[in-house]
Amino acid sequence: MQFILKNIDDTSNLAMILVTCLQKMDQFPAILLQGDLGSGKTTMTRMLVRRLQGGDQAEVSSPSFNVMNVYPTLPETAHFDFYRMEGLGLDGTMEEYLYDPNRLSIVEWINYLPEYLWPDDYILMQWTTEDTVRKIRLSAQGSLGYSLMACLADMGDAKKLF
């Protein structure tokens, strides 16, 4: 599945569609983000978190220096940034949050975490940019990841972003 985001409104619409699908789930796949610097990963995370219940209380920024931020949303959201983690593993707290399907995990720079440490259930959003256009290729792993992808495919508004 691929989305083409021509402007910030398209990014906002995709975040809204993602939240709508997540709200239908009892457990959640991790959302793994991969793409170049400035491709829109943190912007998408900010928009997604703000649309979750309690998200208006979250101050979303890229956790580049502390690796993980936890936001008071429903579901509770852990936001990871593995940019500075290349070749390193996870500590116990990171594992607790990343692998818990009752929490929403959003991971920027997933390519810096060895694949064998990735969660079993996820959607992978691979971001590329061409001028001001963002292209996002989505793939899924595990039953929760496939459920989220199926919901995204079924959403009427999502078809405008393909």
Side-chain angles (χ1 to χ4, degrees):
M1 177 182 300
Q2 179 171 292
F3 292 100
I4 297 174
L5 309 177
K6 297 176 185 153
N7 53 47
I8 197 74
D9 290 336
D10 287 349
T11 304
S12 180
N13 290 337
L14 179 55
M16 184 172 50
I17 292 164
L18 273 165
V19 167
T20 300
C21 287
L22 290 167
Q23 289 172 337
K24 296 177 183 181
M25 303 177 79
D26 295 325
Q27 293 189 312
F28 313 97
I31 299 174
L32 310 180
L33 306 172
Q34 185 177 43
D36 291 336
L37 200 59
S39 61
K41 301 178 300 294
T42 303
T43 298
M44 170 59 74
T45 300
R46 185 176 299 112
M47 290 179 169
L48 201 158
V49 169
R50 284 186 181 156
R51 284 171 175 74
L52 292 170
Q53 184 177 339
D56 57 335
Q57 301 298 313
E59 195 171 315
V60 179
S61 62
S62 185
S64 295
F65 295 102
N66 54 343
V67 182
M68 182 178 86
N69 291 334
V70 178
Y71 305 121
T73 56
L74 191 61
E76 184 177 50
T77 302
H79 177 200
F80 299 86
D81 184 326
F82 291 145
Y83 187 74
R84 300 191 191 303
M85 298 276 300
E86 188 169 14
L88 303 176
L90 301 170
D91 68 24
T93 302
M94 286 184 224
E95 286 181 2
E96 177 185 339
Y97 280 84
L98 183 60
Y99 300 136
D100 183 353
N102 296 306
R103 294 178 169 126
L104 179 60
S105 294
I106 303 171
V107 184
E108 293 187 51
W109 298 101
I110 189 61
N111 46 306
Y112 286 110
L113 185 69
E115 227 173 294
Y116 71 89
L117 292 174
W118 291 15
D120 292 333
D121 285 281
Y122 62 82
I123 63 165
L124 175 63
M125 300 177 78
Q126 295 173 296
W127 294 70
T128 57
T129 58
E130 294 176 18
D131 298 320
T132 60
V133 174
R134 270 64 173 156
K135 292 183 181 179
I136 304 172
R137 189 168 60 96
L138 271 70
S139 56
Q141 175 68 38
S143 61
L144 296 173
Y146 290 122
S147 292
L148 182 55
M149 288 281 287
C151 180
L152 291 171
D154 288 343
M155 294 292 292
D157 288 339
K159 294 186 178 19
K160 295 179 196 171
L161 301 174
F162 289 113

